[in-house]
Amino acid sequence: MSTATDEAYESYYVPADSKLPIFASLGIFLTVFGMGNILIDMTAGAEHSIGAYIMMVGGLVLGSTLFFWFKTVIEENHAKMYSNQLNRSFVWGMSWFIFSEVMFFAAFFGTLFYVRVFVIDWIGGVGDRGPSNMLWPDYTPEWPLLNTPDPEQFPGAHKPMGWFGLPLANTILLMTSSFTVTMAHHGIKEGNRKKIINWLALTVALGVAFLICQVLEYYEAYAHLGLTLDSGIYGTTFFMLTGFHGAHVTLGTFMLAVMLGRAIKGHFTADDCFGFEAAAWYWHFVDVVWVGLFLFVYILGS
Amino acid sequence: MSAVIEEHHHDDHHHGPAKGLMRWVFTTNHKDIGTLYLWFSFIMFLLGGSFALVIRAELFQPGLQIVEPEFFNQLTTMHGLVMVFGAVMPAFVGLANWLVPMMIGAPDMALPRMNNYSFWILPFAFTMLASTFFMEGGAPNFGWTFYAPLSTDQGPPSTTLFIFAVHLMGISSIMGSINVVVTILNLRAPGMTLMQMPLFVWTWLITAYLLIAVMPVLAGVVTMMLMDIHFGTAFFNAGGGGDPVLFQHVFWFFGHPEVYIMILPAFGVVSAIIPTFARKRLFGYPSMVYATSSIAFLSFIVWAHHMFTVGIPLAGELYFMYATMLIAVPTGVKVFNWVATMWGGSMTFETPMLFAIAFVVLFTIGGLSGLMLAIVPADFQYHDTYFVVAHFHYVLVPGSVFSIMAAVYYWLPKWTGNMYNETLGKTHFWLSFIGINVLFFPQHFVGLAGMPRRIPDYALQFADYNMVSTVGAFLFGFSQLLFMFIVIQTIRGGKKATDRVWEGAHGLEWTIPSPAPYHTFSTPPKDLTEAHG
Ligand SMILES: [Cu+2]
């Protein structure tokens, strides 16, 4: 089948050679290599680790390379080198990246479900596992698991983290921020710069407020509830799920802050605002993950 | 900065390759990056292969002759990791880079700078991984599946670097896959529908989807390991309410789709080669697309067939058994279609076709032994024996690796502009074909007789077959030096290839000159008559 098209073809921009990716590769390698050495030395009980310096250099190389990378992309875009087709590539790229992030969280949510539904009972000898309770006769299946099978290695928390208070406040903060970021988007569509900047600044503030609340919550957990990373599977799933989410909020807040800076510089028009939209989608994704967390880790989990 | 942009703009589409070594470091060209991936993969193939040869040399006779058991464990682990993540996967990404844009009439990959980034992370990752051999405590020694708690409680300090190496490979794979998906979805020549794409493009679209879906899960499971090792979490420790079996669930949720990541592009390659040399259209193109999609879907819901003996509920074993067997249906559709394509064709047997036919036959053997392993009661006998080793090596070596070699012989004239030496190519094929069967077929027998995998020493009754197996391994291994020679010879010169190269070849890549110019399809092709491969 032959299909010819009469539409004029907007040439697809293929960049010339670039020094950016090799520095980014070097940067990310040094960062994780340094991190690995820090952890190895930490667990071996060494006082100092050369890994810290390697990681610092790596982080610097990676950070500055990414800065110049995004700068280049933004300048190329302003120089009108990007066709609509190329902008669609960015849209697809970001969407698939968010999908990969969804799958990353799926691994940890899956872990939580598997532990709650199966493992907790099986350790108590329920089901096809047979009498595994011979190892730990005092163990009783419960969730949240405060009395771990082996309390010497894993002293359980005294109390679970409730959903009322800080977690509820955080839910409200994030929900609101999803709304405010949409208002900023409306601002872009209307070409109202003041509206963009105000709503976006409010969104960033809400993100920061969320992070502050999370720090307070972690302090509460460690100081008063005995809920720690090494307090057994409840602490493990609690901190890993909320911790990775917090890391994503941090990144999302940073992205939105960059977009705020760009908005102040006068970037973004109604039909050219992919950077903002990408950050906003990421923010909504982080928001949805939180809803899952609030439901499964806080309300149903405590 | 604006001057630089001017220069870029000016360069756009007009620049040829840069001069010197830095061309390869800074390149954003999909053909250069494809070449880099393929050479990297070949180096890893030789590295992983040399580990395998030491393993086979040790197993030539019962008893401990050459290496310490501890080092033997490091070799089996690194052999698996290097071959899976360093040789097979990058080879297919290299093929995707070279071929997908040419097959769909795109000017390049959608995101060229990220493409370079995806590649250059890999050498760093594998340098870090390989360097663990020289660390205190040695390299990872718990098998390429790195089951906890063996890897978390008993692993050497290098486990941590291994984890970060896996993270780097994952980042590379995800970025590479996003590039492939976006290229296919967004850069097809105007008018080319999805059902007009060559099957290689289809299989890679689905492979890339699988990669984006499961590489993050792998990242998740190694992160859990990292936390268990260094921060006292209880993911895989029942004493804290966790479960070592959880590791296997999460790992194999990645691991089973990973198997298809390594075989779906091979299906695409074979589906391109067989029609060419049978001089017929591919039989049942739509059913091939649907079969590939079904395999991809099923690959997400069968993972626990790797865990039948670990202690999962009976209902789970039954479900995973039947679900696994279901995969035989779409796979059977594919094998049927390849055979039906050859049926009544006017066939010739150039080297790519020989490798492709060997693929169909030997991959099917691997598939059938896979069906045997899917049967729960039988698996209780076969589990962790050499039968399993024989099974997955039949799928991966005369499966994935043969398809990669077939692809190299098939497209090398397009890449280099020169024909390879057919006599040498056929010699390479027959040496590999005989070598691989001598190497892996006897492992079925020792496995069924009860020889466990991953051991440096074994009982006397397994001696004969192991000796045969080792002979085959060295034959296969050293034949690959001939492969390297043929490829280098072809790059340096030889009979000039025509644009079409093969009389029966169809597809957009055969409409451009040989060797393919540095930039192709800067404006999309208007005539898509050739497109349906
Ligand atoms: Cu499997």
Side-chain angles (χ1 to χ4, degrees):
Chain A
M1 193 176 71
S2 152
T3 326
T5 169
D6 300 328
E7 267 176 65
Y9 179 70
E10 258 189 302
S11 114
Y12 194 92
Y13 173 63
V14 177
D17 295 2
S18 172
K19 293 185 178 62
L20 292 164
I22 189 70
F23 281 106
S25 305
L26 180 71
I28 198 170
F29 161 69
L30 290 176
T31 308
V32 298
F33 183 64
M35 216 184 281
N37 276 292
I38 294 175
L39 291 177
I40 292 171
D41 291 339
M42 180 189 85
T43 302
E47 276 194 18
H48 298 288
S49 173
I50 186 154
Y53 303 104
I54 302 175
M55 189 174 104
M56 241 149 57
V57 173
L60 233 73
V61 173
L62 181 62
S64 48
T65 310
L66 289 182
F67 174 79
F68 283 112
W69 196 325
F70 283 110
K71 188 169 153 41
T72 310
V73 171
I74 292 166
E75 280 166 355
E76 286 172 353
N77 182 38
H78 285 172
K80 301 269 176 266
M81 293 155 79
Y82 291 174
S83 59
N84 287 324
Q85 192 185 15
L86 195 132
N87 286 324
R88 276 201 301 280
S89 289
F90 287 148
V91 171
W92 275 117
M94 189 67 194
S95 317
W96 286 98
F97 168 66
I98 290 178
F99 173 59
S100 79
E101 290 271 44
V102 169
M103 292 308 293
F104 183 76
F105 275 99
F108 287 89
F109 273 107
T111 295
L112 177 66
F113 297 141
Y114 179 76
V115 167
R116 281 200 59 173
V117 176
F118 298 115
V119 176
I120 291 300
D121 287 341
W122 282 345
I123 296 176
V126 178
D128 293 336
R129 283 300 182 78
S132 62
N133 55 344
M134 284 194 314
L135 261 180
W136 298 295
D138 299 334
Y139 169 82
T140 37
E142 57 171 6
W143 190 269
L145 187 66
L146 303 182
N147 301 303
T148 61
D150 179 7
E152 253 167 58
Q153 197 188 346
F154 298 99
H158 323 307
K159 258 183 76 180
M161 178 66 74
W163 62 271
F164 203 72
L166 283 171
L168 182 64
N170 265 345
T171 310
I172 295 165
L173 286 174
L174 271 196
M175 286 299 181
T176 316
S177 74
S178 243
F179 169 75
T180 55
V181 82
T182 307
M183 289 310 287
H185 195 207
H186 283 303
I188 294 178
K189 292 295 169 196
E190 294 158 14
N192 183 342
R193 191 140 306 271
K194 221 175 131 198
K195 188 170 173 183
I196 309 172
I197 293 170
N198 288 343
W199 284 108
L200 201 47
L202 185 57
T203 312
V204 173
L206 288 168
V208 173
F210 174 93
L211 289 169
I212 293 171
C213 285
Q214 194 168 33
V215 170
L216 293 175
E217 183 197 359
Y218 278 14
Y219 172 75
E220 167 79 9
Y222 265 79
H224 302 301
L225 304 179
L227 176 59
T228 63
L229 198 52
D230 49 6
S231 64
I233 195 67
Y234 173 58
T236 298
T237 50
F238 175 83
F239 282 106
M240 291 305 286
L241 275 160
T242 57
F244 268 118
H245 176 263
H248 283 72
V249 174
T250 310
L251 182 61
T253 307
F254 177 74
M255 282 159 70
L256 289 172
V258 171
M259 297 309 149
L260 178 60
R262 290 185 60 191
I264 292 170
K265 276 182 82 176
H267 293 191
F268 307 130
T269 57
D271 53 1
D272 182 16
C273 57
F274 169 73
F276 172 86
E277 285 174 336
W281 295 333
Y282 194 78
W283 194 249
H284 289 310
F285 150 71
V286 167
D287 206 22
V288 170
V289 172
W290 177 260
V291 173
L293 284 179
F294 190 58
L295 194 62
F296 293 113
V297 175
Y298 291 97
I299 295 183
L300 299 176
S302 64
Chain B
M1 202 64 209
S2 71
V4 176
I5 286 170
E6 281 303 292
E7 187 187 299
H8 278 197
H9 202 57
H10 180 73
D11 277 355
D12 190 16
H13 295 310
H14 301 294
H15 52 88
K19 298 273 177 288
L21 203 61
M22 284 303 144
R23 163 186 175 180
W24 301 101
V25 180
F26 300 144
T27 184
T28 50
N29 180 281
H30 72 103
K31 301 183 181 80
D32 281 355
I33 294 171
T35 306
L36 283 169
Y37 265 113
L38 287 169
W39 276 113
F40 175 77
S41 147
F42 190 70
I43 292 165
M44 288 296 118
F45 182 57
L46 294 183
L47 181 71
S50 63
F51 297 158
L53 288 186
V54 179
I55 291 170
R56 279 320 317 173
E58 172 60 50
L59 293 173
F60 185 65
Q61 285 180 330
L64 296 175
Q65 287 88 22
I66 300 175
V67 290
E68 293 295 312
E70 169 59 27
F71 186 61
F72 184 91
N73 287 342
Q74 298 175 24
L75 285 176
T76 53
T77 307
M78 294 292 268
H79 164 71
L81 291 170
V82 166
M83 287 305 202
V84 167
F85 295 104
V88 174
M89 288 167 71
F92 282 129
V93 183
L95 291 175
N97 258 289
W98 252 105
L99 298 170
V100 167
M102 298 200 307
M103 285 177 164
I104 62 173
D108 204 293
M109 295 293 276
L111 305 160
R113 279 185 289 238
M114 192 173 84
N115 200 16
N116 174 305
Y117 192 21
S118 310
F119 171 75
W120 275 106
I121 286 179
L122 284 181
F124 287 107
F126 279 90
T127 308
M128 181 158 82
L129 185 64
S131 72
T132 57
F133 272 119
F134 306 104
M135 277 178 73
E136 219 177 289
N141 56 4
F142 27 68
W144 87 274
T145 52
F146 48 97
Y147 278 12
L150 181 62
S151 56
T152 48
D153 288 354
Q154 319 286 325
S158 62
T159 309
T160 302
L161 290 189
F162 150 79
I163 289 170
F164 283 111
V166 170
H167 275 308
L168 289 183
M169 293 166 205
I171 292 168
S172 157
S173 283
I174 291 170
M175 289 196 298
S177 308
I178 289 178
N179 229 329
V180 171
V181 173
V182 175
T183 306
I184 296 173
L185 293 182
N186 193 31
L187 265 66
R188 294 194 310 283
M192 183 187 277
T193 62
L194 287 175
M195 290 308 269
Q196 259 178 307
M197 301 191 307
L199 214 67
F200 179 76
V201 180
W202 254 115
T203 53
W204 240 112
L205 176 66
I206 293 167
T207 302
Y209 165 73
L210 289 180
L211 274 164
I212 301 172
V214 301
M215 289 312 276
V217 177
L218 176 68
V221 77
V222 294
T223 305
M224 293 177 202
M225 282 174 61
L226 189 76
M227 298 305 289
D228 271 14
I229 293 172
H230 294 293
F231 296 100
T233 54
F235 282 113
F236 309 131
N237 193 327
D243 186 356
V245 178
L246 168 66
F247 173 90
Q248 298 184 24
H249 279 296
V250 187
F251 175 81
W252 285 114
F253 186 84
F254 146 81
H256 191 81
E258 168 70 16
V259 173
Y260 291 102
I261 287 162
M262 292 191 285
I263 204 68
L264 293 184
F267 291 167
V269 167
V270 171
S271 302
I273 292 174
I274 288 181
T276 296
F277 295 99
R279 289 165 185 77
K280 276 176 66 190
R281 275 282 164 105
L282 180 68
F283 184 88
Y285 171 94
S287 65
M288 284 301 221
V289 173
Y290 299 133
T292 311
S293 315
S294 322
I295 291 174
F297 169 73
L298 289 172
S299 75
F300 284 107
I301 53 168
V302 296
W303 74 89
H305 60 213
H306 297 267
M307 305 162 53
F308 286 150
T309 61
V310 82
I312 55 176
L314 182 64
E317 303 206 315
L318 290 175
Y319 160 73
F320 281 107
M321 169 167 83
Y322 289 120
T324 302
M325 289 172 153
L326 220 52
I327 298 182
V329 177
T331 313
V333 169
K334 288 189 163 286
V335 173
F336 176 84
N337 283 348
W338 290 320
V339 175
T341 306
M342 289 188 265
W343 184 265
S346 54
M347 305 231 286
T348 49
F349 299 93
E350 286 84 348
T351 311
M353 183 61 160
L354 290 174
F355 273 105
I357 295 175
F359 172 94
V360 175
V361 176
L362 300 180
F363 171 79
T364 304
I365 293 178
L368 289 174
S369 59
L371 265 181
M372 292 169 69
L373 287 163
I375 302 166
V376 172
D379 183 69
F380 271 68
Q381 172 70 19
Y382 306 152
H383 189 85
D384 264 352
T385 67
Y386 256 84
F387 189 78
V388 178
V389 176
H391 155 67
F392 69 74
H393 279 94
Y394 257 91
V395 179
L396 282 173
V397 188
S400 308
V401 173
F402 268 28
S403 85
I404 294 163
M405 288 171 179
V408 169
Y409 282 112
Y410 185 59
W411 280 290
L412 196 58
K414 177 55 66 188
W415 299 339
T416 63
N418 304 319
M419 292 304 287
Y420 61 89
N421 182 322
E422 192 62 57
T423 316
L424 286 182
K426 281 184 173 143
T427 312
H428 170 232
F429 167 75
W430 284 110
L431 288 174
S432 300
F433 180 81
I434 295 165
I436 209 76
N437 283 297
V438 173
L439 162 56
F440 291 121
F441 211 81
Q443 296 184 359
H444 289 113
F445 304 135
V446 285
L448 289 177
M451 177 170 161
R453 64 191 285 207
R454 290 175 175 157
I455 50 154
D457 188 9
Y458 49 85
L460 286 178
Q461 70 263 32
F462 306 129
D464 293 349
Y465 281 135
N466 270 291
M467 202 171 271
V468 172
S469 191
T470 298
V471 171
F474 277 83
L475 177 61
F476 178 73
F478 281 93
S479 308
Q480 304 324 309
L481 297 178
L482 176 61
F483 181 46
M484 182 167 72
F485 172 79
I486 297 169
V487 171
I488 292 173
Q489 191 191 39
T490 313
I491 293 172
R492 301 184 57 157
K495 203 175 100 215
K496 291 287 157 242
T498 60
D499 292 355
R500 175 74 51 186
V501 181
W502 312 106
E503 174 195 13
H506 292 286
L508 288 176
E509 77 268 34
W510 308 111
T511 62
I512 54 180
S514 301
Y518 198 58
H519 290 286
T520 39
F521 298 124
S522 292
T523 48
K526 292 239 189 296
D527 179 11
L528 298 179
T529 334
E530 273 293 328
H532 200 321

